């Protein structure tokens, strides 16, 4: 059971039903409410959360990102929560619940990942430089020496980062990438990137991953 989808974008993607940006507390409280209901109805349930969209959503809430200006420097919602990255704080609160209630509400830490380097994710094959960069950018899943070739401009090292958060804030939680895509699925360049990604998932011990979106039978 995936505990909804990309909550830090709800005020944009679902503004008709949730026009206000989601903060740390709302994310925790909704998880407590709905995951507890799921576990009560289906004791065998495995849950995934917070299904966050990407880089800034790992570290900040939508309340932070809608504050205006250089919001990431002040980040008022994060500052009010021990200045912890959103994912770290979320895991900490899930562990707190289990210690108090004796029920594990979260089985998988689920993050979404689309490489932010230009013209790669969800994109056609592109020129020779784009093809080379697509293949290099898989290093963002693991390599501390790879500075992301995007606006992020620092090492992402996503899977080791996820594991460190889990080990520190909620040991025993499994790791999932609920969405990912390296583009060019209709070309051998995208197929090579996908093969590399799957090898990295295996080597790094990722527990679950979902390619967005479905492949066609004629794609390499």
């Amino acid at each position: 059971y995936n505990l909804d989808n990309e909550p830090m974008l709800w005020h944009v993607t679902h503004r008709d039903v949730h026009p206000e940006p989601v903060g740390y507390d709302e994310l925790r409280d909704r998880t407590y409410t709905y995951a507890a209901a799921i576990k009560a109805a289906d004791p065998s349930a495995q849950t995934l959360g917070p299904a966050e969209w990407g880089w800034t959503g790992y570290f900040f809430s939508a309340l932070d990102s809608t504050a205006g200006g250089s919001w990431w420097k002040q980040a008022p919602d994060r500052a009010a929560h021990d200045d912890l990255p959103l994912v770290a704080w979320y895991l900490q609160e899930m562990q707190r619940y289990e210690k108090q209630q004796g029920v594990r509400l979260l089985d998988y830490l689920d993050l979404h990942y689309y490489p932010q380097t230009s013209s790669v994710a969800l994109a056609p094959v592109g020129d020779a430089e784009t093809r080379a960069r697509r293949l290099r950018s898989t290093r963002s899943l693991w390599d501390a020496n790879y500075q992301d070739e995007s606006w992020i401009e620092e090492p992402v090292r996503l899977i080791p980062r996820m594991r460190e958060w889990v080990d520190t804030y909620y040991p025993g939680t499994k790791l999932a990438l609920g969405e990912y895509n390296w583009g060019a699925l209709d070309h051998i360049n995208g197929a090579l990137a996908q093969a590399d990604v799957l090898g990295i998932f295996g080597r790094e011990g990722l527990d679950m991953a979902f390619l967005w979106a479905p492949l066609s039978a004629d794609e390499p």
Side-chain angles (χ1 to χ4, degrees):
Y1 296 82
N2 207 315
L3 298 170
D4 216 281
N5 183 65
E6 300 182 346
M8 296 309 146
L9 297 180
W10 284 351
H11 63 291
V12 177
T13 57
H14 301 296
R15 58 191 179 277
D16 53 337
V17 293
H18 199 293
E20 298 302 317
V22 174
Y24 279 57
D25 291 340
E26 182 182 358
L27 179 64
R28 175 198 60 198
D29 295 346
R30 287 186 178 274
T31 302
Y32 281 1
T33 299
Y34 287 95
I38 290 168
K39 295 282 187 170
D42 180 3
S44 67
Q46 296 281 291
T47 56
L48 298 88
E52 200 40 66
W53 76 270
W55 185 249
T56 58
Y58 308 159
F59 298 95
F60 305 98
S61 74
L63 279 177
D64 287 321
S65 66
T66 56
S70 298
W71 59 265
W72 57 93
K73 296 180 180 179
Q74 290 81 35
D77 195 28
R78 173 169 164 164
H81 294 85
D82 302 320
D83 199 32
L84 285 175
L86 177 68
V87 168
W89 187 85
Y90 178 82
L91 289 167
Q92 172 186 276
E93 295 301 290
M94 296 304 108
Q95 183 179 54
R96 187 193 311 276
Y97 185 97
E98 182 175 5
K99 287 180 176 178
Q100 293 174 347
Q101 305 296 329
V103 177
R104 173 180 271 274
L105 294 184
L106 184 73
D107 298 292
Y108 290 83
L109 170 61
D110 174 24
L111 301 179
H112 296 176
Y113 188 65
Y114 294 92
Q116 293 296 293
T117 189
S118 178
S119 303
V120 167
L122 301 166
V125 63
D127 59 18
E129 191 280 330
T130 300
R131 298 178 193 190
R133 188 159 31 82
R134 175 175 285 111
L135 298 180
R136 290 196 305 269
S137 66
T138 64
R139 293 167 59 190
S140 63
L141 289 167
W142 64 274
D143 190 350
N145 295 313
Y146 177 69
Q147 178 164 304
D148 205 63
E149 298 173 71
S150 74
W151 56 269
I152 295 173
E153 292 187 327
E154 62 180 280
V156 173
R157 49 184 301 274
L158 181 60
I159 300 174
R161 186 186 299 272
M162 292 171 71
R163 179 163 288 105
E164 288 165 8
W165 278 333
V166 162
D167 289 347
T168 301
Y169 296 101
Y170 199 6
T173 308
K174 290 173 278 191
L175 305 181
L177 293 185
E179 293 182 19
Y180 75 92
N181 180 289
W182 252 265
L185 293 173
D186 60 346
H187 190 278
I188 191 62
N189 178 252
L192 287 170
Q194 172 69 3
D196 193 28
V197 164
L198 292 175
I200 292 166
F201 290 168
R203 188 192 65 204
E204 298 296 317
L206 191 72
D207 295 292
M208 186 184 296
F210 298 93
L211 174 65
W212 182 275
L215 296 165
S216 299
D218 60 349
E219 291 178 326

